[in-house]
């Protein structure tokens, strides 16, 4: 496939980028590829060195394209509403949702207010992708990928943030499952621990960055080190197609993200009737429902398919199966600058600058845990929270009546209104996707009554947070070794908190002697030590029950598993194991596997242990890990103020190319729960690099 773009990078970009009139006021970055160094370490991780930030972004684009150009291109196609041209019918739902949300229009409306330095960064990144495509035309997926505009690129970011904020869960419910869950975009969880120097055995501030994400695909973390002569120096994780670090470490500070679950999306049911077709009533006035046809181009079909999209004053609107119209309102669809804020976070040199970046309040999601070399630790349940009408007639946790402007929020709370902690006396902060009001010791936790209940903050512990609390409170001082042990812990807490709110204690309370046909399974579960080791038979039984019980509970008001149903669960486990393996004395690792290419290995862990593993069924009755413990980074800030000590591990390796030596070279360390040393020091990187080169 030939890509028709110029060989002169800057001229190519000027011809390629379809910027609006306002955006054209920005100049184009000068890219000197001979001054861009890509240093690959022994694990193939790219360290990018260049004079300017846009040149670093260019180098990152080139290096990441070498490792995973295919996934990056799927993100580009998403930002064009053309994923169906590559994935066929599987991509069409994503293209429809992209058109429904109109993220490109939002970007076009706001791009003139963005930081010019940030725009230059994006242009440098797109130049790198374009140059790689020109040099490797056979790797380009189809004619729709290039050219790509700044607006198209940024609209992908807005779309992804909206998906993280709940669109992928809400839309299928509104449409009764007629739109598939968006593939590869969902966030799974994560852990983070910030340890103050006063709690640290060595007197060093420490941070654990631990993403629980899909281990392959659009939201699988890629590790990179980015350093310019303009003061940017970050090592950490990013998603395919990103021009910067999402969370990681600089010489002075580090931060981690974990997924949070405040109320990030409101659903309104519009008031309609047959006498006013195509209209909806608000405060007694009938308003026209905006209609647009979204043309979906699908691979293999000779013509485009059109699907109707709607919009009300409340936001993107869909027609439900009973004819009712529902609108979604998301703060993330009103602000296109999340990626710009991440750039400012990357460029922060101290806590004051970092907090100033957070106060921009463009990022609509994610907890943020922070530590730095000046003995600051910090945690905020971050979000873009609207001022919702406190009138009790509005149940913001449910569907809202879309017939009055009194339910139409338009402004947002300041960053200072978010739950946050700075240097608690306890010496630690942590989050495992649980309540921000359970972030440290009981005496110092914030009181949820001091915050608006309509914001929807989590109020609960989960198994990971309960277990982490047990471990963190058990030590007066925490050593670096102990911190690693906590992070890699595979044990559920003493009292298991069952997911989805159901009560399944009956699994552990059956009298095994009364059920001789399943007695060995019952006894193994009841004797289980709650550790999800790959050698554990009890862990396998619990894991299979974990995935089976919700199927029994589906649609029930009473969430208590009866004794009779517990027996059914054990009978299901026995039947399944006998059907596929002809025996029941299997361990967790016999069934749960880590798969990469044609190889697979026994995998410990399970959902909601600190070393989390989520899995899906695969052929032959086994389960394949698809998400969970992914990119991990441990950070220590020396008392002498030198560069931080960093160790990290990724699930597989730096490359998604099966022929690369780095396709799965980190896998043995990952499975052994070990890490590799990393550094921010350019001199050390270049001395130890296995290969140093320039983009072509």
């Amino acid at each position: 496939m030939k890509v028709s773009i110029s060989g002169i990078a800057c001229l190519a970009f000027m011809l390629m980028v379809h910027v609006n009139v306002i955006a054209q006021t920005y100049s184009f970055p000068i890219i000197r590829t001979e001054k861009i160094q890509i240093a690959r370490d022994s694990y193939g991780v790219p360290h990018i060195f260049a004079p300017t930030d846009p040149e670093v972004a260019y180098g990152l684009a080139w290096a990441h394209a070498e490792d995973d150009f295919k996934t990056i291109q799927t993100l580009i196609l998403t930002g064009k509403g053309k994923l169906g041209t590559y994935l066929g019918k599987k991509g069409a739902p994503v293209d429809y949702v992209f058109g429904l949300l109109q993220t490109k229009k939002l970007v076009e409306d706001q791009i003139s207010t963005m930081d010019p330095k940030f725009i230059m960064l994006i242009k440098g990144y797109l130049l790198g992708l374009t140059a790689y495509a020109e040099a490797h035309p056979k790797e380009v997926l189809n004619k729709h990928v290039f050219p790509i505009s700044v607006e198209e690129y940024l609209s992908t970011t807005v779309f992804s943030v909206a998906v993280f904020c709940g669109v992928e869960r809400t839309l299928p419910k509104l449409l009764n499952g007629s739109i598939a869950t968006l593939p590869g975009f969902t966030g799974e969880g994560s852990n983070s621990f910030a340890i103050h120097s006063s709690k640290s055995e060595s007197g060093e501030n420490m941070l654990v960055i631990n993403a629980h994400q899909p281990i392959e695909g659009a939201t699988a973390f890629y590790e990179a080190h980015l350093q310019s002569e303009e003061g940017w120096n970050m090592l950490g994780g990013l998603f395919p197609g990103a021009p910067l670090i999402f969370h990681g470490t600089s010489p002075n500070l580090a931060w981690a993200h974990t997924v949070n679950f405040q109320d990030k999306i409101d659903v309104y049911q519009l008031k309609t009737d047959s006498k006013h077709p195509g209209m909806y009533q608000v405060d007694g006035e009938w308003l026209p429902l905006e209609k647009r046809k979204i043309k979906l181009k699908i691979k293999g079909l000779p013509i485009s398919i059109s699907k109707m999209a709607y919009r009300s004053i409340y936001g993107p609107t869909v027609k439900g199966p009973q004819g009712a119209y529902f609108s979604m309102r998301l703060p993330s669809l009103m602000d296109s600058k999340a990626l710009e804020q991440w750039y400012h976070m990357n460029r922060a040199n101290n806590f004051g600058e970092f907090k100033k970046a957070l106060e921009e309040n463009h990022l609509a999601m994610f907890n943020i845990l922070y530590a730095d070399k000046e003995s600051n630790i910090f945690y905020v349940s971050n979000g873009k929270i609207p001022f919702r009408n406190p009138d009790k007639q509005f149940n913001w946790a449910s569907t809202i009546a879309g017939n009055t402007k009194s339910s139409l929020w338009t402004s947002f709370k300041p960053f200072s209104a978010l739950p946050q902690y700075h240097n608690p006396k306890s010496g630690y902060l942590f989050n495992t996707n649980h309540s921000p009001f359970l972030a440290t010791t009981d005496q110092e936790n914030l009181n949820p009554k001091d915050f608006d209940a309509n914001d929807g903050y989590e109020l609960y512990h989960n198994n990971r947070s309960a277990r982490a609390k047990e471990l963190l409170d058990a030590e007066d001082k925490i050593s670096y070794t102990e911190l690693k042990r906590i992070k890699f812990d595979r044990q559920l807490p003493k009292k298991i908190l069952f997911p989805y709110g159901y009560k399944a204690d009956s699994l552990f309370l059956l009298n095994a002697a009364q059920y001789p046909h399943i007695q060995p399974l019952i006894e193994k579960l009841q004797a289980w030590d709650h550790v999800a080791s790959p050698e554990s038979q009890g862990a396998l039984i619990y894991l299979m029950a974990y995935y089976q019980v919700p199927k029994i509970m589906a649609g029930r008001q009473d969430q208590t598993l009866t004794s009779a149903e517990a027996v059914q669960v054990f009978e299901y486990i026995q039947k399944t194991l006998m059907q596929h393996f002809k025996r029941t004395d299997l361990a967790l690792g016999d069934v749960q596997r880590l798969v990469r290419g044609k190889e697979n290995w026994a995998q410990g862990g399970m959902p909601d242990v600190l070393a989390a593993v989520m899995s899906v069924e695969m052929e032959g009755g086994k389960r394949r890990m698809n998400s969970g413990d992914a990119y991990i980074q441990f950070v220590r800030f020396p008392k002498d103020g030198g560069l931080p000590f960093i160790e990290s591990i990724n699930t597989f390796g730096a490359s998604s190319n099966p022929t690369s030596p780095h396709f799965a070279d980190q896998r043995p360390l990952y499975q052994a729960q070990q890490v590799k040393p990393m550094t921010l020091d350019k001199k050390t990187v270049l001395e130890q690099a296995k290969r140093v080169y320039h983009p072509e």
Side-chain angles (χ1 to χ4, degrees):
M1 182 181 297
K2 185 176 181 180
V3 182
S4 56
I5 54 180
S6 169
I8 302 174
C10 290
L11 177 60
F13 190 78
M14 294 177 72
L15 293 173
M16 172 191 69
V17 178
H18 306 302
V19 292
N20 58 30
V21 174
I22 297 175
Q24 287 180 5
T25 60
Y26 298 126
S27 60
F28 292 88
I30 296 174
I31 303 297
R32 300 155 293 181
T33 56
E34 74 279 4
K35 292 185 177 293
I36 301 172
Q37 290 179 297
I38 302 174
R40 297 279 187 171
D41 63 25
S42 59
Y43 284 95
V45 175
H47 302 251
I48 316 296
F49 304 109
T52 67
D53 290 0
E55 288 171 317
V56 167
Y58 183 106
L60 171 63
W62 185 280
H64 202 166
E66 289 179 317
D67 291 325
D68 199 6
F69 194 36
K70 182 178 177 180
T71 302
I72 293 172
Q73 290 179 81
T74 63
L75 272 294
I76 294 174
L77 289 170
T78 299
K80 291 169 167 279
K82 300 286 181 64
L83 193 60
T85 65
Y86 173 63
L87 292 182
K89 292 181 180 180
K90 291 183 179 180
V94 181
D95 291 339
Y96 172 73
V97 177
F98 178 80
L100 175 71
L101 300 185
Q102 292 185 285
T103 59
K104 185 179 178 183
K105 184 179 185 303
L106 176 71
V107 172
E108 291 172 341
D109 291 343
Q110 297 184 354
I111 195 170
S112 64
T113 65
M114 292 185 183
D115 182 350
K117 291 184 178 180
F118 169 70
I119 296 296
M120 293 286 273
L121 179 88
I122 300 304
K123 291 180 178 180
Y125 184 81
L126 295 182
L127 277 170
L129 288 182
T130 302
Y132 185 87
E134 183 183 47
H136 304 84
K138 292 183 179 180
E139 295 183 30
V140 178
L141 296 181
N142 64 32
K143 65 181 181 180
H144 300 286
V145 180
F146 295 99
I148 175 174
S149 71
V150 172
E151 290 89 345
E152 287 169 337
Y153 175 81
L154 292 176
S155 67
T156 306
T157 301
V158 179
F159 176 75
S160 299
V161 171
V163 171
F164 264 101
C165 288
V167 167
E168 91 289 350
R169 295 185 297 273
T170 302
L171 260 180
K173 294 178 182 178
L174 298 183
L175 294 166
N176 197 25
S178 59
I179 289 183
T181 299
L182 307 183
F185 282 92
T186 53
E188 304 293 349
S190 302
N191 304 323
S192 181
F193 309 90
I195 308 298
H196 191 267
S197 56
S198 62
K199 177 81 171 176
S200 166
E201 192 174 90
S202 63
E204 300 169 309
N205 260 22
M206 300 187 291
L207 184 74
V208 176
I209 301 169
N210 178 204
H212 292 169
Q213 285 292 121
I215 56 177
E216 294 180 293
T219 52
F221 271 106
Y222 180 75
E223 184 176 32
H225 174 202
L226 311 177
Q227 184 173 340
S228 78
E229 294 172 14
E230 296 182 314
W232 186 18
N233 190 3
M234 285 288 303
L235 168 66
L238 58 124
F239 291 158
L244 43 72
I245 301 300
F246 283 163
H247 60 181
T249 304
S250 78
N252 300 322
L253 55 87
W255 78 89
H257 286 307
T258 65
V259 173
N260 55 5
F261 299 100
Q262 316 121 313
D263 189 349
K264 301 181 179 73
I265 181 169
D266 288 325
V267 175
Y268 298 77
Q269 182 172 350
L270 303 184
K271 184 176 181 180
T272 60
D273 65 27
S274 59
K275 296 180 180 179
H276 299 83
M279 305 186 81
Y280 62 105
Q281 189 183 60
V282 179
D283 294 328
E285 179 183 1
W286 287 94
L287 304 177
L289 189 62
E290 179 187 322
K291 297 180 182 180
R292 290 178 297 110
K293 282 187 177 180
I294 298 175
K295 291 186 177 181
L296 304 174
K297 294 185 178 181
I298 302 174
K299 181 180 179 181
L301 297 183
I303 60 174
S304 298
I305 294 176
S306 294
K307 187 172 179 64
M308 191 67 70
Y310 305 92
R311 191 176 187 88
S312 74
I313 62 171
Y314 299 99
T317 302
V318 296
K319 187 178 182 180
Q322 305 302 321
Y325 288 87
F326 297 91
S327 296
M328 298 181 297
R329 193 164 184 80
L330 292 81
S332 58
L333 290 180
M334 301 177 185
D335 193 332
S336 63
K337 299 183 181 181
L339 198 61
E340 178 184 318
Q341 179 176 319
W342 261 312
Y343 176 54
H344 295 156
M345 291 161 66
N346 271 242
R347 293 305 309 269
N349 292 304
N350 53 51
F351 180 61
E353 292 180 7
F354 186 79
K355 194 172 182 183
K356 183 179 179 181
L358 300 188
E359 289 169 350
E360 295 174 10
N361 201 29
H362 299 311
L363 188 57
M365 75 248 176
F366 291 145
N367 295 299
I368 299 170
L369 283 97
Y370 168 100
D372 65 26
K373 70 177 185 180
E374 297 176 342
S375 287
N376 289 296
I377 62 172
F378 178 75
Y379 163 50
V380 59
S381 183
N382 185 68
K384 196 173 183 72
I385 306 297
F387 283 104
R388 295 181 171 98
N389 191 329
D391 193 310
K392 292 185 179 179
Q393 68 172 304
F394 301 116
N395 180 4
W396 293 102
S398 184
T399 303
I400 302 296
N403 63 351
T404 173
K405 290 184 179 179
S406 61
S407 64
L408 181 66
W409 45 260
T410 57
S411 59
F412 303 96
K413 297 180 179 181
F415 178 80
S416 59
L418 302 174
Q420 53 195 276
Y421 302 77
H422 182 209
N423 291 341
K425 294 179 181 178
S426 66
Y428 73 86
L429 294 164
F430 77 111
N431 183 265
T432 67
N433 317 114
H434 69 296
S435 173
F437 309 117
L438 299 168
T440 188
T441 56
D442 296 341
Q443 298 87 340
E444 293 186 88
N445 277 321
L446 297 172
N447 188 340
K449 294 181 179 179
D450 294 333
F451 296 84
D452 188 348
N454 289 327
D455 294 345
Y457 289 109
E458 309 93 314
L459 301 176
Y460 50 79
H461 266 303
N462 54 35
N463 284 311
R464 285 175 290 130
S465 62
R467 176 61 177 164
K469 192 78 164 58
E470 290 176 1
L471 297 171
L472 289 167
D473 285 342
E475 305 290 338
D476 290 333
K477 300 279 188 178
I478 295 177
S479 68
Y480 184 60
T481 300
E482 178 65 15
L483 187 61
K484 285 184 177 180
R485 191 182 74 80
I486 292 172
K487 192 265 109 355
F488 286 122
D489 187 82
R490 284 175 169 165
Q491 183 167 338
L492 289 169
K494 296 175 183 177
K495 180 175 176 55
I496 295 176
L497 303 170
F498 296 101
Y500 315 113
Y502 63 74
K503 299 176 178 63
D505 293 317
S506 54
L507 291 168
F508 293 87
L509 298 176
L510 293 176
N511 184 340
Q514 293 181 4
Y515 309 99
H517 64 301
I518 52 174
Q519 183 173 353
L521 294 177
I522 297 173
E523 290 176 342
K524 286 175 184 176
L525 180 64
Q526 293 177 349
W528 179 45
D529 60 3
H530 292 190
V531 178
S533 65
E535 303 82 17
S536 172
Q537 294 186 29
L540 173 61
I541 296 168
Y542 178 81
L543 181 75
M544 296 182 71
Y546 177 96
Y547 286 110
Q548 180 64 14
V549 170
K551 297 177 183 178
I552 295 175
M553 295 295 192
R556 276 180 32 183
Q557 296 297 315
D558 179 12
Q559 291 292 288
T560 300
L561 189 75
T562 67
S563 295
E565 289 168 335
V567 171
Q568 292 175 19
V569 171
F570 283 109
E571 290 174 339
Y572 160 79
I573 294 170
Q574 177 167 272
K575 179 181 177 181
T576 301
L577 293 177
M578 289 301 297
Q579 176 185 345
H580 293 290
F581 305 100
K582 309 304 181 188
R583 60 191 182 93
T584 61
D585 59 338
L586 284 90
L588 177 62
D590 294 327
V591 175
Q592 183 171 267
R593 313 293 289 181
L594 181 65
V595 181
R596 184 69 156 170
K598 297 180 180 180
E599 296 187 82
N600 67 86
W601 307 268
Q603 180 61 46
M606 62 174 53
D608 213 19
V609 297
L610 289 167
V613 168
M614 278 68 81
S615 60
V616 293
E617 293 181 7
M618 58 186 287
E619 188 177 352
K622 295 184 179 181
R623 299 190 65 89
R624 172 179 60 83
M625 178 182 177
N626 66 331
S627 64
D629 240 359
Y631 181 64
I632 302 168
Q633 190 182 108
F634 295 91
V635 187
R636 286 187 290 151
F637 289 95
K639 291 186 290 183
D640 63 8
L643 286 174
F645 176 78
I646 305 169
E647 293 184 307
S648 70
I649 196 67
N650 217 344
T651 316
F652 293 122
S655 177
S656 293
N657 183 351
T659 65
S660 169
H662 306 298
F663 182 61
D665 59 336
Q666 294 186 50
R667 192 276 312 169
L669 286 176
Y670 172 81
Q671 289 206 290
Q673 297 188 318
Q674 297 177 358
V675 289
K676 64 187 191 303
M678 299 295 288
T679 181
L680 292 167
D681 182 62
K682 180 178 179 180
K683 182 175 181 293
T684 302
V685 169
L686 293 177
E687 287 176 349
Q688 298 178 355
K690 297 301 180 182
R691 182 187 175 206
V692 180
Y693 58 101
H694 308 292
E696 296 176 13

